[in-house]
Amino acid sequence: MCGIAGIVNFSAREDRVPLLDRMLRAMSHRGPDATGLYLADDIGLGHARLSIIDLSGGYQPIHNEDRTVWVIFNGEIFNYPELRAELVKKGHQFYTQSDTETIVHLYEAYGADLFTHLNGQFAIALWDQRRRTLLLGRDRMGIRPLFYHQQGDRLIFASEIKALLADPRTPRRLDPQTLSDVFTCWTPVDPLTAFDEVYQLPPGHLALFDADGLNIRRYWQLRFDDAHPDARPEAEWAEEMRALLLDAARIRLRADVPVGAYLSGGIDSTYISTLVRNNFNNTLNTFSVQFADARFDESRFQQTALSAIQTRHRAIQCSDRDIGQLFPQVVWHAEVPMIRTAPAPLMMLAGLVRQSDFKVVLTGEGADEIFGGYNIFKEAKIRRFWARHPDSACRPHLLRKLYPYIFNADTGQPNAFLFGFFKKNLTDVASPVYSHMVRWLNTSQLKSFFMPGRLPEQSKELSAFVGRITDRLPEGFDRWSPLSKAQYLESTLFLSNYLLSSQGDRMAMAHSVEGRFPFLDHRVVELAARMPAKLRLNGLTEKYLLKQIARQQVPAELIDRAKQPYRAPISRCFMGDDPPEYVTDLLSENGIKTAGYFDAQKVQRLTAKCRQQDGRLASERENMALVAILSTQLLDHHFIRYFPNYPDEALAHTVIERQAGI
């Protein structure tokens, strides 16, 4: 795992070394082991290295035999030994043992189609000196980030936005449309980012930039095949998926450094750890986060998993105070407003991994999206069933299975407010985004905290947001099953832009740790998408096929336990008896008015509510509002007000050594 940066300018010469150096310093946490540069007439490429494969060689940028093709790369190509063997047979000559070098030779063999040959997680920048063309590409699921800013014939790109903001030419403004989107669906909607005129290359896309301009196109699309279901027996599906998951875990152990694993106590991480422990590694090291607040703690389930698989385990405990103190760093690394504090404990967990001298961990992320594990999928199924008889008094009681707290324990009657929440737009089942509309309606109410005129006028109506989402749905989407539609929305919005970013890449790379995701091997994803929907969600049993597979190796207590989504405390992290100083400053009337995003009086009322009984009286929506407003204020503080004045030395978290420059 690394950080990449580059500058291409077809219309003017510029001294690129000082800016590239500043860009690399801004994200030195991504690659503390070495840096490297490539410079030519039109281009400068920079690389900050985290050494994982070919530790003594493999310094980037890497070139082909005649030095006409150069590449910098953030990520891993897990099938590189097989690719290398094929390329050697075709006559290509290698000078390193790295996975990176396969990329330049694949380009020689297949041009821009090289990405379809890769099994990995990657953000790639490749310069073809003969054609004077820059090729950018990002992995299918969006595990690794890639951002850019274009001004005419000049384009700069990097693994993190802060590296782009190190260039004085990059605008420093929060993007109003993205603020509206985050306060609606929790995440930016690609290609937008939180910053105006800064874009992300969407997952599964490549881009070509030359003197004629920037051309972006898709090379991979997540598709579900519900229109032509495969009628194979369940046992055959299970056997194929079992073999694929085993192989996905196997190739993700390829590294020249030790590989550990996260162990949350859920089925996903436990199954991956069990595969590794039983098949490849008898001394697996695992890591987990525990909470001082029992409402969020899963240590009991972690102990159950440890008793079964017997790994070398380390855990770190996270308190409310830890989250409050760490949150400014979380926002600095995430570079986006957030609705949740959940990334903070994961940053602490990555710190534990790094302190334990590990650079690589396997995780169970992605299983909920591809196997139908979230409550939102079951919730949509219940609501569709209820919508057939919207006046039924019995059908909505199925929600008790998902959310027992919405029913009064004494009378068995539903809470009127929460019951009404789930009844909103109940009969609008023809909507392609039916599964997510309730959540978007609820979250979009947070936009009432903004000052008038701060958000785009059209963003006041949720229909405008829905229209943008439906306009980009793939061909044939209307023929997919309701579950597949919901999974697609969750995977292409929430998974790539929040879970794999704010909770994944950014929190791990803050401590120079690389996460690897066997469930997001594209072969696994594609097979899951071809399965009949009932093998993903069978009745109200989520992840049905995965559970059948896992029963052979994972304790039944973990498989049959009630779904507990990963969450972290909120109000008490910021509004206790001794709140962090930055919270008082940023959420004060003066702090709110200075930034100019939010209505100061409304924010004051919100913070007063969140302070009552240490936040115990605050609703989920009020907690979300608190985090969203505070993270936006921090984002403005970090990048709009402070970052332009950072001295160069403040950008370097570690001392890094120049390598492989020419």
Side-chain angles (χ1 to χ4, degrees):
M1 198 51 53
C2 307
I4 64 174
I7 309 162
V8 183
N9 194 333
F10 290 112
S11 59
R13 296 288 180 262
E14 57 180 286
D15 186 1
R16 295 178 294 270
V17 174
L19 177 54
L20 283 171
D21 183 67
R22 187 172 170 84
M23 294 171 76
L24 293 177
R25 286 176 181 272
M27 52 182 184
S28 59
H29 49 278
R30 297 190 73 90
D33 296 333
T35 60
L37 295 180
Y38 166 74
L39 302 171
D41 290 342
D42 302 315
I43 191 168
L45 300 177
H47 184 261
R49 188 185 188 202
L50 180 65
S51 304
I52 291 175
I53 292 177
D54 190 9
L55 304 185
S56 61
Y59 293 102
Q60 298 183 39
I62 276 180
H63 55 79
N64 65 341
E65 296 91 336
D66 62 3
R67 296 180 176 243
T68 59
V69 177
W70 290 82
V71 71
I72 50 176
F73 160 54
N74 164 31
E76 304 292 346
I77 307 303
F78 298 119
N79 62 334
Y80 79 96
E82 293 81 7
L83 293 172
R84 181 187 178 107
E86 294 173 5
L87 290 163
V88 167
K89 288 180 181 179
K90 293 182 178 182
H92 294 272
Q93 299 178 7
F94 286 73
Y95 71 98
T96 75
Q97 298 301 312
S98 71
D99 58 335
T100 309
E101 194 176 356
T102 60
I103 298 169
V104 293
H105 298 299
L106 282 171
Y107 176 76
E108 290 179 307
Y110 303 108
D113 291 334
L114 73 92
F115 300 107
T116 61
H117 296 264
L118 303 179
N119 185 332
Q121 48 192 52
F122 52 82
I124 294 170
L126 182 146
W127 175 251
D128 186 327
Q129 180 63 27
R130 288 191 179 121
R131 293 183 173 87
R132 296 178 65 221
T133 299
L134 174 71
L135 173 64
L136 302 174
R138 192 172 172 209
D139 66 72
R140 296 167 177 85
M141 300 303 294
I143 297 171
R144 298 304 161 207
L146 186 56
F147 302 98
Y148 66 91
H149 168 66
Q150 181 187 3
Q151 290 177 313
D153 292 337
R154 184 177 186 266
L155 182 141
I156 63 171
F157 63 88
S159 296
E160 296 190 9
I161 296 173
K162 58 181 67 69
L164 302 183
L165 296 178
D167 181 359
R169 303 191 200 186
T170 304
R172 288 169 176 78
R173 299 183 298 269
L174 295 186
D175 178 50
Q177 183 61 66
T178 295
L179 289 178
S180 177
D181 292 344
V182 171
F183 279 65
T184 301
C185 72
W186 297 26
T187 75
V189 177
D190 53 52
L192 301 181
T193 72
F195 295 87
D196 193 25
E197 297 187 43
V198 173
Y199 303 97
Q200 59 176 316
L201 185 65
H205 282 69
L206 62 86
L208 288 164
F209 184 64
D210 57 23
D212 294 327
L214 182 66
N215 178 27
I216 299 175
R217 69 174 186 262
R218 183 188 296 275
Y219 71 85
W220 184 84
Q221 171 77 69
L222 173 60
R223 290 190 178 278
F224 291 84
D225 194 18
D226 294 302
H228 304 89
D230 189 326
R232 282 187 291 165
E234 178 182 313
E236 290 187 17
W237 283 108
E239 185 55 39
E240 184 175 358
M241 183 60 74
R242 184 183 296 109
L244 263 185
L245 285 170
L246 183 65
D247 192 61
R250 176 185 67 84
I251 63 176
R252 279 161 181 76
L253 294 172
R254 289 173 167 171
D256 294 329
V257 297
V259 178
Y262 284 161
L263 189 65
S264 69
I267 180 178
D268 311 327
S269 63
T270 304
Y271 182 61
I272 294 301
S273 296
T274 301
L275 285 182
V276 174
R277 179 73 170 83
N278 291 348
N279 294 280
F280 310 115
N281 188 336
N282 290 325
T283 57
L284 179 65
N285 287 258
T286 53
F287 304 88
S288 66
V289 63
Q290 300 170 357
F291 289 95
D293 189 329
R295 294 175 301 165
F296 305 96
D297 189 53
E298 296 187 84
S299 56
R300 176 170 70 88
F301 298 109
Q302 294 164 8
Q303 288 302 317
T304 299
L306 288 170
S307 297
I309 58 179
Q310 298 292 309
T311 64
R312 295 178 178 175
H313 190 69
R314 300 171 182 86
I316 190 167
Q317 188 172 80
C318 178
S319 68
D320 297 349
R321 181 176 177 81
D322 292 329
I323 293 173
Q325 294 294 333
L326 192 61
F327 200 63
Q329 295 180 50
V330 169
V331 176
W332 164 255
H333 285 284
E335 301 177 331
V336 68
M338 287 173 286
I339 307 292
R340 303 169 65 178
T341 56
L346 295 177
M347 180 183 280
M348 292 180 62
L349 181 59
L352 173 65
V353 171
R354 190 63 177 182
Q355 292 164 15
S356 304
D357 294 324
F358 278 76
K359 293 181 178 181
V360 182
V361 286
L362 303 184
T363 91
E365 208 70 75
D368 284 311
E369 286 78 10
I370 68 171
F371 288 112
Y374 288 129
N375 274 351
I376 195 171
F377 304 138
K378 294 185 282 186
E379 173 191 305
K381 189 170 188 176
I382 291 172
R383 292 181 70 245
R384 286 179 181 275
F385 178 67
W386 179 10
R388 296 178 198 167
H389 297 282
D391 296 326
S392 169
C394 298
R395 294 190 176 206
H397 278 252
L398 286 169
L399 290 166
R400 187 197 297 267
K401 294 181 177 293
L402 310 184
Y403 312 111
Y405 55 83
I406 76 171
F407 290 85
N408 185 289
D410 297 324
T411 67
Q413 295 303 308
N415 175 289
F417 174 79
L418 292 172
F419 195 67
F421 169 84
F422 288 109
K423 198 170 184 179
K424 291 177 181 176
N425 296 87
L426 179 68
T427 59
D428 191 16
V429 293
S431 169
V433 296
Y434 179 79
S435 57
H436 286 65
M437 275 295 292
V438 169
R439 305 302 175 90
W440 295 346
L441 278 166
N442 184 51
T443 307
S444 64
Q445 295 180 42
L446 303 183
K447 290 187 286 188
S448 65
F449 286 96
F450 280 97
M451 287 289 289
R454 256 302 181 176
L455 300 181
E457 186 65 27
Q458 68 272 17
S459 73
K460 294 179 180 178
E461 299 295 331
L462 184 60
S463 58
F465 173 81
V466 171
R468 288 169 53 220
I469 299 302
T470 55
D471 285 347
R472 46 193 272 154
L473 295 175
E475 183 181 357
F477 185 85
D478 59 319
R479 297 191 296 273
W480 295 357
S481 71
L483 173 62
S484 296
K485 292 175 181 178
Q487 286 182 261
Y488 179 88
L489 292 170
E490 194 72 8
S491 298
T492 55
L493 283 172
F494 193 70
L495 175 65
S496 60
N497 289 331
Y498 176 77
L499 283 181
L500 294 176
S501 179
S502 296
Q503 283 190 194
D505 173 271
R506 302 315 190 82
M507 298 304 103
M509 290 307 299
H511 290 286
S512 306
V513 171
E514 173 183 291
R516 297 182 176 182
F517 309 88
F519 286 114
L520 295 180
D521 185 305
H522 72 274
R523 300 170 301 168
V524 175
V525 173
E526 290 169 354
L527 180 61
R530 292 198 306 271
M531 293 192 312
K534 67 179 181 180
L535 296 184
R536 289 174 262 139
L537 179 60
N538 192 310
L540 292 181
T541 299
E542 76 278 6
K543 294 190 284 197
Y544 173 78
L545 189 75
L546 179 61
K547 287 183 175 183
Q548 304 315 305
I549 295 170
R551 284 190 187 280
Q552 301 175 15
Q553 302 184 65
V554 174
E557 180 183 351
L558 302 184
I559 294 176
D560 298 327
R561 58 174 288 201
K563 175 69 175 175
Q564 180 175 330
Y566 168 67
R567 298 181 301 136
I570 295 181
S571 289
R572 285 187 288 173
C573 304
F574 307 115
M575 297 293 162
D577 295 331
D578 184 24
E581 185 176 347
Y582 73 89
V583 174
T584 304
D585 292 340
L586 292 178
L587 297 186
S588 68
E589 184 175 2
N590 182 63
I592 293 295
K593 288 182 176 179
T594 298
Y597 298 99
F598 302 106
D599 184 309
Q601 291 185 346
K602 290 183 178 180
V603 173
Q604 294 301 299
R605 289 195 293 269
L606 172 69
T607 55
K609 180 67 175 293
C610 290
R611 285 192 183 97
Q612 294 177 21
Q613 296 187 22
D614 285 341
R616 289 184 178 88
L617 297 183
S619 68
E620 181 180 2
R621 185 189 301 161
E622 288 164 335
N623 275 303
M624 288 195 301
L626 176 66
V627 178
I629 292 168
L630 182 58
S631 60
T632 302
Q633 290 287 98
L634 281 166
L635 204 67
D636 177 82
H637 171 78
H638 285 332
F639 295 106
I640 308 302
R641 304 187 185 283
Y642 186 34
F643 186 82
N645 300 315
Y646 274 10
D648 281 349
E649 59 267 21
L651 299 177
H653 294 252
T654 57
V655 176
I656 52 180
E657 179 184 357
R658 179 77 62 213
Q659 295 278 2
I662 66 166

